[in-house]
Amino acid sequence: MEKIKRKLSIVSVCILIFVFLFPSFQQVFADGEEREVVTKVLHINNINNNKALEQIETLVGLNCNYGETAYIGEYFSVYNAEDDNLFFVYPIYVNSKCKYLAEVSMEGIASLTTNVDMIEKIKNLPSNQYILYIDNGRLYAESSLNNIFIKQMKFINEDKVSEFAEYSFEEKEEYLKVIYGIDEIDYIDVFSEQLTYIVCNDKNYSRSVDIGRDGTLTTYQCSITNFVPQGGYNLCWAASSATIIKYKTGISFSATSLADKYNMSYIIGGSMSQVKKILADFGLSYKTLLSRMQWTQIKENINADKPFIIFMKGKDKEKNVKHTLTGYGYGCIIRDTAANIRTVYAWDPNGEKISFLYESASTIVTSGYLLSWESSVY
């Protein structure tokens, strides 16, 4: 009996030591473990998961502050019915709170966003199994009982409904089975799954604020504090331009007020030449480029405290999709000898800061859409 008591005491002490030494580990999913409601969301296998994790680790390392520990949670799947693309969302926890989401294409290309609203909305869904999908710029969670609006992902000119959105829940399941060649649809509780990866400062990853360097990585960022959103209109070009105008001249515009100044439509997007002219009207000298910027040019712009504009394109089932971002920073190894580490920081006027690897920047997922870097104003 004494031996059993002694063994139990040793086990108890070991558990207490583990809890004391690793408090962040036990807290990451604490909220999820205590919830009475069990919400499960679509989980289709990502065959490029390892590739995605490597990219996410790099991006998180270039965004975390020194001394922070980050964990990547289990991913879930979102189907975009507009461009017929599936992508994966990885929650990233820093100091026990979800601080970033990684949006990952089926090819394993990751981008990191600071907008984590999706996670909070999913946490508050009624208990059930949900298919997450995007239609007409809106993210929905549909179960066998209801279809719930989650958030606006981006502005869409026309109020239309896709064929997928009109399917019943069971029909949506069957459709996904067919196009992705799977026998069963899987659902996971993202708030109780085991953590799959530990990243950040265990590899001496760190970041600087504005201009500086610390550890093995360095980041350079323009000190923009007023990022302009496009609001409920197709004014990403105006929001990107207004962000730069405010930063470089101190003159404030909303996306709509800048469009009004130039009598431009809220629906038809602005071209590169129009954006260049608008910036020139405020004394800002920019050039246009019908391709992605060279890495050396990105560094040159940011080192000169000059944000740039990224023109992107995508494609839904019926038409080309256009979008613009404001590039405001870059990250790399101090000597910049590793191409796979090179990172671009950008403002997505849909309302989120994102970062992505330059090497993979030809096609990324942002705001739930697969887009490629088509041209630049620099």
Side-chain angles (χ1 to χ4, degrees), residues 10 18-19 21 57 75 94 135 156 177 207 267 317:
I10 292 170
F18 181 83
V19 169
L21 290 176
E57 180 181 33
Y75 65 88
V94 180
D135 182 63
I156 298 293
K177 283 182 188 178
R207 72 180 292 269
I267 296 175
K317 294 177 181 178

Side-chain angles (χ1 to χ4, degrees), residues 4-20:
I4 293 174
K5 285 182 178 180
R6 243 189 336 267
K7 287 181 179 179
L8 287 174
S9 297
I10 292 170
V11 170
S12 299
V13 169
C14 289
I15 291 172
L16 287 172
I17 290 172
F18 181 83
V19 169
F20 177 76

Side-chain angles (χ1 to χ4, degrees), residues 30 73 90 95 100 104 139 206 219 223 234 238 262 280 282 304 308 337 345 355-356 359 362:
Y90 293 68
N95 296 334
Y100 308 103
V104 177
L139 175 65
S206 58
T219 64
S223 303
N234 190 20
Y262 288 90
F282 292 90
F308 53 90
T337 54
Y345 296 90
S355 54
F356 52 88
E359 195 176 48
S362 55

Side-chain angles (χ1 to χ4, degrees), residues 42 129-133 140-142 169 172-173 176 187:
L42 182 68
Q129 296 182 152
Y130 292 89
I131 292 173
L132 296 173
Y133 72 95
Y140 295 94
E142 183 169 349
F169 177 76
K172 284 183 173 69
E173 285 191 316
L176 293 171
Y187 298 90

Side-chain angles (χ1 to χ4, degrees), residues 36-257:
E36 294 181 3
V37 174
V38 177
T39 301
K40 294 190 175 183
V41 293
L42 182 68
H43 182 269
I44 293 176
N45 184 46
N46 179 8
I47 61 173
N48 289 305
N49 184 48
N50 289 337
K51 178 180 178 180
L53 288 173
E54 289 176 4
Q55 294 197 8
I56 294 169
E57 180 181 33
T58 299
L59 291 169
V60 171
L62 278 157
N63 279 275
C64 279
N65 294 312
Y66 185 78
E68 290 181 327
T69 301
Y71 303 91
I72 303 175
E74 183 60 276
Y75 65 88
F76 55 93
S77 310
V78 181
Y79 176 68
N80 189 324
E82 290 174 44
D83 57 15
D84 193 26
N85 270 303
L86 187 79
F87 67 97
F88 309 97
V89 178
Y90 293 68
I92 293 129
Y93 298 85
V94 180
N95 296 334
S96 306
K97 292 183 179 179
C98 186
K99 189 172 180 180
Y100 308 103
L101 294 180
E103 293 181 328
V104 177
S105 70
M106 292 192 71
E107 292 72 32
I109 307 303
S111 62
L112 205 67
T113 173
T114 57
N115 190 335
V116 298
D117 291 351
M118 185 190 303
I119 289 294
E120 287 303 313
K121 298 287 180 63
I122 291 173
K123 185 184 293 186
N124 293 322
L125 288 171
S127 178
N128 215 319
Q129 296 182 152
Y130 292 89
I131 292 173
L132 296 173
Y133 72 95
I134 295 172
D135 182 63
N136 199 37
R138 304 180 183 100
L139 175 65
Y140 295 94
E142 183 169 349
S143 71
S144 57
L145 298 178
N146 46 34
N147 192 354
I148 300 172
F149 169 74
I150 297 293
K151 63 174 292 190
Q152 190 79 31
M153 300 295 285
K154 80 182 192 95
F155 173 73
I156 298 293
N157 295 334
E158 302 172 15
D159 190 12
K160 61 179 182 178
V161 178
S162 68
E163 184 178 346
F164 181 84
E166 293 181 324
Y167 291 159
S168 68
F169 177 76
E170 291 74 18
E171 288 172 333
K172 284 183 173 69
E173 285 191 316
E174 290 304 314
Y175 179 84
L176 293 171
K177 283 182 188 178
V178 171
I179 63 173
Y180 294 112
I182 52 180
D183 296 326
E184 295 295 332
I185 295 293
D186 188 25
Y187 298 90
I188 64 163
D189 181 355
V190 295
F191 303 104
S192 64
E193 294 292 326
Q194 291 292 319
L195 300 168
T196 58
Y197 220 64
I198 299 177
V199 300
C200 214
N201 291 314
D202 61 332
K203 289 192 174 182
N204 198 30
Y205 281 177
S206 58
R207 72 180 292 269
S208 58
V209 178
D210 297 330
I211 296 178
R213 43 183 75 176
D214 196 359
T216 61
L217 303 182
T218 182
T219 64
Y220 290 75
Q221 297 179 18
C222 300
S223 303
I224 301 174
T225 56
N226 183 23
F227 291 94
V228 180
Q230 68 186 76
Y233 303 100
N234 190 20
L235 290 173
C236 51
W237 64 270
S240 296
S241 302
T243 296
I244 292 176
I245 291 168
K246 169 63 177 176
Y247 179 60
K248 298 305 293 183
T249 72
I251 302 172
S252 294
F253 286 96
S254 65
T256 52
S257 65

Side-chain angles (χ1 to χ4, degrees), residues 25-37:
F25 185 87
Q26 59 165 338
Q27 293 170 1
V28 170
F29 285 117
D31 291 340
E33 291 171 334
E34 293 173 2
R35 290 179 306 127
E36 294 181 3
V37 174

